[in-house]
Short mmCIF file of all heavy atoms in Angstrom, two decimals:
data_model
loop_
_atom_site.label_atom_id
_atom_site.label_comp_id
_atom_site.label_asym_id
_atom_site.label_seq_id
_atom_site.Cartn_x
_atom_site.Cartn_y
_atom_site.Cartn_z
N VAL A 284 -50.82 107.43 69.47
CA VAL A 284 -50.40 106.07 69.16
C VAL A 284 -51.31 105.06 69.86
O VAL A 284 -52.13 105.42 70.70
CB VAL A 284 -48.94 105.82 69.63
CG1 VAL A 284 -47.96 106.70 68.89
CG2 VAL A 284 -48.83 106.03 71.14
N ASN A 285 -51.12 103.80 69.50
CA ASN A 285 -51.72 102.70 70.26
C ASN A 285 -50.67 102.01 71.13
O ASN A 285 -51.00 101.48 72.18
CB ASN A 285 -52.36 101.68 69.31
CG ASN A 285 -53.66 102.20 68.72
OD1 ASN A 285 -54.42 102.91 69.37
ND2 ASN A 285 -53.91 101.87 67.45
N ASP A 286 -49.42 102.01 70.69
CA ASP A 286 -48.34 101.35 71.43
C ASP A 286 -47.56 102.41 72.21
O ASP A 286 -46.60 103.01 71.71
CB ASP A 286 -47.42 100.63 70.45
CG ASP A 286 -46.44 99.70 71.17
OD1 ASP A 286 -46.21 99.89 72.38
OD2 ASP A 286 -45.90 98.79 70.51
N VAL A 287 -47.99 102.67 73.44
CA VAL A 287 -47.36 103.70 74.26
C VAL A 287 -45.91 103.36 74.54
O VAL A 287 -45.02 104.22 74.46
CB VAL A 287 -48.14 103.87 75.58
CG1 VAL A 287 -47.39 104.81 76.52
CG2 VAL A 287 -49.54 104.38 75.30
N GLY A 288 -45.65 102.10 74.88
CA GLY A 288 -44.29 101.69 75.21
C GLY A 288 -43.32 101.94 74.07
O GLY A 288 -42.19 102.40 74.28
N ALA A 289 -43.75 101.64 72.85
CA ALA A 289 -42.86 101.84 71.70
C ALA A 289 -42.56 103.32 71.49
O ALA A 289 -41.45 103.70 71.11
CB ALA A 289 -43.50 101.25 70.45
N ALA A 290 -43.56 104.18 71.74
CA ALA A 290 -43.34 105.62 71.58
C ALA A 290 -42.32 106.13 72.58
O ALA A 290 -41.42 106.91 72.25
CB ALA A 290 -44.66 106.36 71.71
N ILE A 291 -42.46 105.71 73.83
CA ILE A 291 -41.52 106.16 74.86
C ILE A 291 -40.14 105.57 74.60
O ILE A 291 -39.11 106.24 74.78
CB ILE A 291 -42.04 105.78 76.26
CG1 ILE A 291 -43.35 106.52 76.55
CG2 ILE A 291 -41.00 106.09 77.33
CD1 ILE A 291 -44.02 106.13 77.83
N GLU A 292 -40.10 104.32 74.15
CA GLU A 292 -38.81 103.69 73.85
C GLU A 292 -38.09 104.44 72.73
O GLU A 292 -36.87 104.59 72.76
CB GLU A 292 -39.03 102.24 73.45
CG GLU A 292 -37.73 101.47 73.21
CD GLU A 292 -37.98 100.02 72.88
OE1 GLU A 292 -39.11 99.55 73.04
OE2 GLU A 292 -37.01 99.35 72.45
N ALA A 293 -38.86 104.96 71.77
CA ALA A 293 -38.23 105.75 70.70
C ALA A 293 -37.58 106.99 71.28
O ALA A 293 -36.50 107.41 70.83
CB ALA A 293 -39.29 106.13 69.66
N GLY A 294 -38.22 107.59 72.30
CA GLY A 294 -37.63 108.75 72.96
C GLY A 294 -36.37 108.38 73.72
O GLY A 294 -35.37 109.11 73.69
N VAL A 295 -36.37 107.23 74.39
CA VAL A 295 -35.19 106.77 75.12
C VAL A 295 -34.03 106.51 74.16
O VAL A 295 -32.87 106.84 74.45
CB VAL A 295 -35.52 105.51 75.94
CG1 VAL A 295 -34.27 104.93 76.57
CG2 VAL A 295 -36.56 105.83 77.02
N ASP A 296 -34.33 105.95 73.01
CA ASP A 296 -33.29 105.69 72.04
C ASP A 296 -32.68 106.99 71.50
O ASP A 296 -31.49 107.04 71.15
CB ASP A 296 -33.85 104.88 70.86
CG ASP A 296 -34.17 103.44 71.25
OD1 ASP A 296 -33.65 102.98 72.28
OD2 ASP A 296 -34.97 102.79 70.53
N ALA A 297 -33.49 108.04 71.47
CA ALA A 297 -33.01 109.31 70.90
C ALA A 297 -32.26 110.16 71.91
O ALA A 297 -31.36 110.91 71.53
CB ALA A 297 -34.19 110.11 70.35
N GLY A 298 -32.63 110.08 73.18
CA GLY A 298 -31.99 110.94 74.18
C GLY A 298 -32.57 110.70 75.55
O GLY A 298 -32.78 109.55 75.95
N ARG A 299 -32.85 111.79 76.27
CA ARG A 299 -33.37 111.67 77.63
C ARG A 299 -34.77 112.26 77.70
O ARG A 299 -34.95 113.48 77.78
CB ARG A 299 -32.47 112.40 78.63
CG ARG A 299 -32.90 112.20 80.11
CD ARG A 299 -31.97 112.92 81.05
NE ARG A 299 -32.17 114.36 81.02
CZ ARG A 299 -33.08 115.02 81.74
NH1 ARG A 299 -33.89 114.34 82.55
NH2 ARG A 299 -33.19 116.33 81.68
N PRO A 300 -35.81 111.42 77.64
CA PRO A 300 -37.18 111.95 77.78
C PRO A 300 -37.51 112.23 79.24
O PRO A 300 -37.06 111.52 80.14
CB PRO A 300 -38.05 110.82 77.23
CG PRO A 300 -37.24 109.59 77.44
CD PRO A 300 -35.79 109.98 77.39
N HIS A 301 -38.28 113.29 79.48
CA HIS A 301 -38.74 113.60 80.83
C HIS A 301 -40.06 114.34 80.73
O HIS A 301 -40.50 114.70 79.65
CB HIS A 301 -37.69 114.42 81.60
CG HIS A 301 -37.18 115.64 80.89
ND1 HIS A 301 -37.55 116.92 81.22
CD2 HIS A 301 -36.32 115.77 79.85
CE1 HIS A 301 -36.94 117.78 80.43
NE2 HIS A 301 -36.18 117.11 79.59
N ARG A 302 -40.73 114.52 81.89
CA ARG A 302 -42.09 115.08 81.94
C ARG A 302 -43.01 114.31 80.98
O ARG A 302 -43.73 114.90 80.17
CB ARG A 302 -42.09 116.57 81.62
CG ARG A 302 -41.41 117.42 82.67
CD ARG A 302 -41.67 118.90 82.43
NE ARG A 302 -40.97 119.71 83.40
CZ ARG A 302 -41.42 120.02 84.61
NH1 ARG A 302 -42.60 119.57 84.98
NH2 ARG A 302 -40.72 120.75 85.42
N ILE A 303 -42.96 112.99 81.08
CA ILE A 303 -43.75 112.14 80.19
C ILE A 303 -45.20 112.11 80.67
O ILE A 303 -45.48 111.89 81.84
CB ILE A 303 -43.18 110.71 80.17
CG1 ILE A 303 -41.72 110.72 79.67
CG2 ILE A 303 -44.02 109.80 79.29
CD1 ILE A 303 -41.00 109.40 79.85
N THR A 304 -46.13 112.36 79.76
CA THR A 304 -47.55 112.24 80.08
C THR A 304 -48.21 111.34 79.03
O THR A 304 -47.91 111.42 77.85
CB THR A 304 -48.26 113.60 80.09
OG1 THR A 304 -48.18 114.20 78.79
CG2 THR A 304 -47.64 114.53 81.11
N VAL A 305 -49.11 110.49 79.50
CA VAL A 305 -49.86 109.60 78.62
C VAL A 305 -51.34 109.78 78.93
O VAL A 305 -51.76 109.70 80.08
CB VAL A 305 -49.46 108.12 78.83
CG1 VAL A 305 -50.30 107.21 77.95
CG2 VAL A 305 -47.97 107.93 78.55
N THR A 306 -52.14 110.05 77.90
CA THR A 306 -53.56 110.27 78.06
C THR A 306 -54.33 109.28 77.21
O THR A 306 -54.04 109.14 76.01
CB THR A 306 -53.94 111.70 77.64
OG1 THR A 306 -53.19 112.63 78.43
CG2 THR A 306 -55.43 111.95 77.83
N ARG A 307 -55.30 108.57 77.82
CA ARG A 307 -56.17 107.68 77.06
C ARG A 307 -57.43 108.48 76.69
O ARG A 307 -58.13 108.98 77.56
CB ARG A 307 -56.54 106.44 77.87
CG ARG A 307 -57.25 105.36 77.04
CD ARG A 307 -57.29 104.05 77.82
NE ARG A 307 -58.36 104.07 78.79
CZ ARG A 307 -59.55 103.47 78.63
NH1 ARG A 307 -59.79 102.81 77.52
NH2 ARG A 307 -60.45 103.53 79.56
N PHE A 308 -57.69 108.62 75.39
CA PHE A 308 -58.77 109.48 74.95
C PHE A 308 -60.13 109.01 75.47
O PHE A 308 -61.01 109.83 75.72
CB PHE A 308 -58.81 109.55 73.42
CG PHE A 308 -57.64 110.29 72.84
CD1 PHE A 308 -56.75 109.66 72.01
CD2 PHE A 308 -57.44 111.62 73.14
CE1 PHE A 308 -55.67 110.35 71.48
CE2 PHE A 308 -56.37 112.32 72.62
CZ PHE A 308 -55.47 111.69 71.77
N ALA A 309 -60.29 107.73 75.69
CA ALA A 309 -61.58 107.22 76.17
C ALA A 309 -61.90 107.72 77.57
O ALA A 309 -63.06 107.76 77.98
CB ALA A 309 -61.57 105.69 76.15
N ASP A 310 -60.84 108.11 78.34
CA ASP A 310 -61.05 108.58 79.69
C ASP A 310 -61.25 110.09 79.77
O ASP A 310 -61.47 110.63 80.84
CB ASP A 310 -59.83 108.23 80.57
CG ASP A 310 -59.69 106.72 80.73
OD1 ASP A 310 -60.69 106.02 80.56
OD2 ASP A 310 -58.56 106.28 81.00
N GLN A 311 -61.14 110.76 78.63
CA GLN A 311 -61.12 112.21 78.65
C GLN A 311 -62.51 112.81 78.84
O GLN A 311 -63.49 112.34 78.29
CB GLN A 311 -60.56 112.74 77.32
CG GLN A 311 -59.06 112.45 77.17
CD GLN A 311 -58.28 113.08 78.28
OE1 GLN A 311 -58.01 112.43 79.28
NE2 GLN A 311 -57.92 114.32 78.14
N VAL A 312 -62.53 113.86 79.64
CA VAL A 312 -63.70 114.72 79.74
C VAL A 312 -63.37 115.97 78.95
O VAL A 312 -62.45 116.70 79.31
CB VAL A 312 -64.01 115.10 81.20
CG1 VAL A 312 -65.19 116.05 81.26
CG2 VAL A 312 -64.27 113.85 82.02
N PRO A 313 -64.05 116.21 77.84
CA PRO A 313 -63.67 117.35 77.01
C PRO A 313 -63.64 118.65 77.81
O PRO A 313 -64.58 118.96 78.53
CB PRO A 313 -64.77 117.39 75.93
CG PRO A 313 -65.29 115.98 75.87
CD PRO A 313 -65.21 115.47 77.28
N ALA A 314 -62.53 119.36 77.68
CA ALA A 314 -62.39 120.65 78.36
C ALA A 314 -62.89 121.75 77.45
O ALA A 314 -62.72 121.69 76.25
CB ALA A 314 -60.92 120.89 78.70
N PRO A 315 -63.53 122.75 78.03
CA PRO A 315 -64.01 123.85 77.20
C PRO A 315 -62.86 124.48 76.43
O PRO A 315 -61.80 124.74 76.98
CB PRO A 315 -64.58 124.84 78.24
CG PRO A 315 -64.86 124.01 79.44
CD PRO A 315 -63.84 122.93 79.44
N ALA A 316 -63.05 124.72 75.16
CA ALA A 316 -62.03 125.36 74.34
C ALA A 316 -62.70 126.40 73.47
O ALA A 316 -63.83 126.23 73.02
CB ALA A 316 -61.32 124.33 73.46
N VAL A 317 -62.01 127.50 73.26
CA VAL A 317 -62.55 128.59 72.45
C VAL A 317 -61.58 128.84 71.31
O VAL A 317 -60.55 129.47 71.49
CB VAL A 317 -62.74 129.87 73.31
CG1 VAL A 317 -63.36 130.97 72.48
CG2 VAL A 317 -63.58 129.58 74.54
N ASN A 318 -61.91 128.30 70.11
CA ASN A 318 -61.07 128.51 68.94
C ASN A 318 -59.60 128.22 69.21
O ASN A 318 -58.72 128.99 68.87
CB ASN A 318 -61.21 129.96 68.46
CG ASN A 318 -62.60 130.23 67.90
OD1 ASN A 318 -63.32 129.30 67.58
ND2 ASN A 318 -62.97 131.48 67.78
N GLY A 319 -59.34 127.11 69.88
CA GLY A 319 -57.96 126.75 70.15
C GLY A 319 -57.33 127.58 71.24
O GLY A 319 -56.11 127.64 71.35
N ARG A 320 -58.15 128.23 72.06
CA ARG A 320 -57.64 129.06 73.14
C ARG A 320 -57.85 128.39 74.49
O ARG A 320 -58.77 127.60 74.65
CB ARG A 320 -58.32 130.43 73.15
CG ARG A 320 -58.15 131.22 71.87
CD ARG A 320 -58.86 132.56 72.00
NE ARG A 320 -58.92 133.23 70.71
CZ ARG A 320 -59.53 134.39 70.51
NH1 ARG A 320 -60.13 134.99 71.52
NH2 ARG A 320 -59.54 134.94 69.31
N GLY A 321 -57.01 128.73 75.43
CA GLY A 321 -57.16 128.20 76.78
C GLY A 321 -56.84 129.27 77.80
O GLY A 321 -56.30 130.33 77.48
N ALA A 322 -57.20 128.99 79.04
CA ALA A 322 -56.90 129.90 80.15
C ALA A 322 -56.37 129.08 81.31
O ALA A 322 -56.91 128.02 81.64
CB ALA A 322 -58.14 130.68 80.57
N VAL A 323 -55.29 129.56 81.93
CA VAL A 323 -54.71 128.93 83.11
C VAL A 323 -54.78 129.94 84.24
O VAL A 323 -54.33 131.08 84.09
CB VAL A 323 -53.26 128.50 82.86
CG1 VAL A 323 -52.62 128.00 84.16
CG2 VAL A 323 -53.20 127.41 81.80
N VAL A 324 -55.35 129.54 85.38
CA VAL A 324 -55.54 130.44 86.50
C VAL A 324 -54.92 129.84 87.75
O VAL A 324 -55.09 128.65 88.02
CB VAL A 324 -57.05 130.70 86.75
CG1 VAL A 324 -57.24 131.72 87.85
CG2 VAL A 324 -57.73 131.16 85.48
N VAL A 325 -54.20 130.65 88.50
CA VAL A 325 -53.63 130.21 89.78
C VAL A 325 -54.62 130.53 90.88
O VAL A 325 -55.12 131.67 90.96
CB VAL A 325 -52.29 130.91 90.04
CG1 VAL A 325 -51.71 130.45 91.39
CG2 VAL A 325 -51.30 130.64 88.91
N ALA A 326 -54.94 129.55 91.72
CA ALA A 326 -55.96 129.77 92.75
C ALA A 326 -55.68 128.93 93.98
O ALA A 326 -55.30 127.76 93.88
CB ALA A 326 -57.35 129.44 92.21
N SER A 327 -55.85 129.54 95.16
CA SER A 327 -55.76 128.83 96.44
C SER A 327 -57.16 128.81 97.05
O SER A 327 -57.76 129.87 97.24
CB SER A 327 -54.79 129.54 97.38
OG SER A 327 -53.47 129.53 96.87
N GLY A 328 -57.65 127.63 97.34
CA GLY A 328 -59.00 127.50 97.89
C GLY A 328 -59.89 126.71 96.96
O GLY A 328 -59.97 127.01 95.76
N ALA A 329 -60.56 125.70 97.51
CA ALA A 329 -61.38 124.82 96.67
C ALA A 329 -62.53 125.57 96.00
O ALA A 329 -62.85 125.32 94.84
CB ALA A 329 -61.93 123.67 97.53
N GLY A 330 -63.15 126.51 96.72
CA GLY A 330 -64.27 127.24 96.15
C GLY A 330 -63.84 128.13 94.99
O GLY A 330 -64.51 128.19 93.95
#
Side-chain angles (χ1 to χ4, degrees):
V284 296
N285 286 325
D286 192 340
V287 173
I291 296 175
E292 184 178 349
V295 173
D296 290 341
R299 185 179 73 86
H301 51 105
R302 292 191 183 275
I303 300 170
T304 62
V305 178
T306 302
R307 191 167 80 101
F308 291 118
D310 295 337
Q311 291 300 94
V312 177
V317 183
N318 292 343
R320 301 180 191 177
V323 173
V324 184
V325 180
S327 296

